[in-house]
Amino acid sequence: MPRKSVRFYTYVSSPYGMKVHGYLLYKQIPFELVYVNPIHPEKDLPMGRAVPVLEIDGEVRADSSPIGIWLDEAFPDTPQLMPDDPTAAASVHSADTWITDVLIPAIFYRVHPRLTAPGNLPRTIADTLRLGYCVDYTTPGGLPFGLRYLWPLFINRAGFIRRMVAPLASSASAEAYRATVLSALDRKLRDRDFIAETNTPSLADIGAWALIAGPYLLGLRGMDDYIAHANVLRWMRTLEPAVRGGTGLPPLVPALLNR
Ligand SMILES: N[C@@H](CCC(=O)N[C@@H](CS)C(=O)NCC(=O)O)C(=O)O
């Protein structure tokens, strides 16, 4: 059978994109990576204006977790992200909801200048400038002149980020919120190897791994705090060989941006 053609549209800084990127690396599916211009994503995307979008043999779909399930169907001979057993599958879905509702906002919150504790504002601005640099570097033709220096403002204004972090505004600092979330993950991993009730890595593990490793690899500061959580660290290390790439596939973060 001829090899399926897979094209993956994202931006380097998109958490949802990082999840899908992780799925593709874990399954070792050869794919073409297309970084879209985040200012006018609709010009580069085959559908809509949100990333990630995946195209398999000309068929396009959006939405990160459903994309993972679609990849299982399209590539049944690769490691499966969703278990067959219905109880285990329900546990993966519930863990994936936690990732969407809790883990991803914790990451966005950390780089949202307006909501950060005042003492951490310089660091948060430095991190958002770093994100601007990474997006500029990976966007074909670069961002419009000077925009990368305005990235903190761009992040502050993005509607989907505002909606996501709004309920968290009453939390303590971004760091404290992130520490609470990592502690919760550490407790989940205390008595088991994977986030959901599965015997092998699932959609939840691969997504969460990419979400924790991606911002660290992009060079944001303070993103190595997971090391302080022994169970999270053990789990990150166990999964690393399977998700880090090294198989000639486009890595989660391009080598020249990588630490
Ligand atoms: N539920 C979607 C969310 C995707 C999403 O919010 N993507 C952001 C980038 S991280 C985006 O492109 N937002 C632009 C918009 O919604 O207009 C998924 O899981 O893929």
Side-chain angles (χ1 to χ4, degrees), residues 10-11 13-17 19-20 38 41 45 49-53 62-67 100 104 108 158-161 163-164:
T10 191
Y11 351 115
S13 57
S14 162
Y16 301 99
K19 280 171 62 184
V20 172
L45 286 171
R49 49 171 291 117
V51 298
V53 170
D63 222 358
S64 51
S65 301
I67 286 176
T100 305
I104 293 186
F108 272 122
F160 72 97
I161 297 185
R163 281 191 295 280
M164 186 174 300

Side-chain angles (χ1 to χ4, degrees), residues 9 26 34 63 65 69 72 92-93 99 114 123 129 136 143 175-176 184 191 211:
Y9 299 85
Y26 176 63
V34 181
D63 222 358
S65 301
I69 294 166
D72 274 355
V92 173
H93 280 300
I99 289 171
R114 201 182 298 160
R123 192 175 81 171
L129 286 171
D136 182 49
L143 291 171
E175 283 73 13
D191 302 318
L211 284 165

Side-chain angles (χ1 to χ4, degrees), residues 54-122:
L54 194 76
E55 187 175 326
I56 304 180
D57 281 348
E59 185 180 345
V60 284
R61 296 199 194 173
D63 222 358
S64 51
S65 301
I67 286 176
I69 294 166
W70 185 36
L71 282 170
D72 274 355
E73 290 158 13
F75 296 91
D77 298 334
T78 60
Q80 294 292 285
L81 294 162
M82 284 304 287
D84 290 333
D85 172 62
T87 310
S91 155
V92 173
H93 280 300
S94 130
D96 192 53
T97 303
W98 178 82
I99 289 171
T100 305
D101 294 347
V102 180
L103 184 62
I104 293 186
I107 291 167
F108 272 122
Y109 189 40
R110 173 68 177 68
V111 293
H112 197 266
R114 201 182 298 160
L115 293 176
T116 200
N120 291 324
L121 197 58

Side-chain angles (χ1 to χ4, degrees), residues 4-255:
K4 288 190 165 100
S5 132
V6 179
R7 195 173 290 145
F8 170 45
Y9 299 85
T10 191
Y11 351 115
V12 74
S13 57
S14 162
Y16 301 99
M18 287 174 191
K19 280 171 62 184
V20 172
H21 205 141
Y23 305 156
L24 290 162
L25 294 177
Y26 176 63
K27 287 175 160 291
Q28 301 211 4
I29 297 170
F31 67 99
E32 180 191 346
L33 175 59
V34 181
Y35 284 125
V36 306
N37 189 321
I39 308 304
H40 298 291
E42 68 283 357
K43 287 189 184 162
D44 300 326
L45 286 171
M47 71 183 280
R49 49 171 291 117
V51 298
V53 170
L54 194 76
E55 187 175 326
I56 304 180
D57 281 348
E59 185 180 345
V60 284
R61 296 199 194 173
D63 222 358
S64 51
S65 301
I67 286 176
I69 294 166
W70 185 36
L71 282 170
D72 274 355
E73 290 158 13
F75 296 91
D77 298 334
T78 60
Q80 294 292 285
L81 294 162
M82 284 304 287
D84 290 333
D85 172 62
T87 310
S91 155
V92 173
H93 280 300
S94 130
D96 192 53
T97 303
W98 178 82
I99 289 171
T100 305
D101 294 347
V102 180
L103 184 62
I104 293 186
I107 291 167
F108 272 122
Y109 189 40
R110 173 68 177 68
V111 293
H112 197 266
R114 201 182 298 160
L115 293 176
T116 200
N120 291 324
L121 197 58
R123 192 175 81 171
T124 302
I125 300 232
D127 276 350
T128 39
L129 286 171
R130 169 77 188 162
L131 275 183
Y133 170 79
C134 294
V135 173
D136 182 49
Y137 180 87
T138 47
T139 300
L143 291 171
F145 179 74
L147 193 58
R148 86 171 161 96
Y149 300 105
L150 298 174
W151 212 243
L153 289 175
F154 183 81
I155 289 192
N156 249 354
R157 289 201 50 212
F160 72 97
I161 297 185
R162 281 206 226 186
R163 281 191 295 280
M164 186 174 300
V165 295
L168 307 177
S170 58
S171 306
S173 69
E175 283 73 13
Y177 180 72
R178 200 176 136 90
T180 309
V181 171
L182 284 173
S183 298
L185 180 58
D186 201 66
R187 278 195 302 278
K188 278 183 204 288
L189 293 166
R190 192 166 43 201
D191 302 318
R192 53 183 198 238
D193 292 336
F194 303 111
I195 296 184
E197 283 157 32
T198 57
N199 299 324
T200 53
S202 74
L203 183 99
D205 296 287
I206 305 304
W209 190 94
L211 284 165
I212 294 172
Y216 169 75
L217 293 170
L218 281 173
L220 303 191
R221 280 173 288 176
M223 292 288 169
D224 54 357
D225 49 356
Y226 66 86
I227 290 170
H229 300 269
N231 301 313
V232 177
L233 180 60
R234 171 179 47 76
W235 164 84
M236 288 291 285
R237 281 190 173 140
T238 308
L239 289 178
E240 177 167 0
V243 199
R244 191 70 192 263
T247 49
L249 304 178
L252 191 59
V253 168

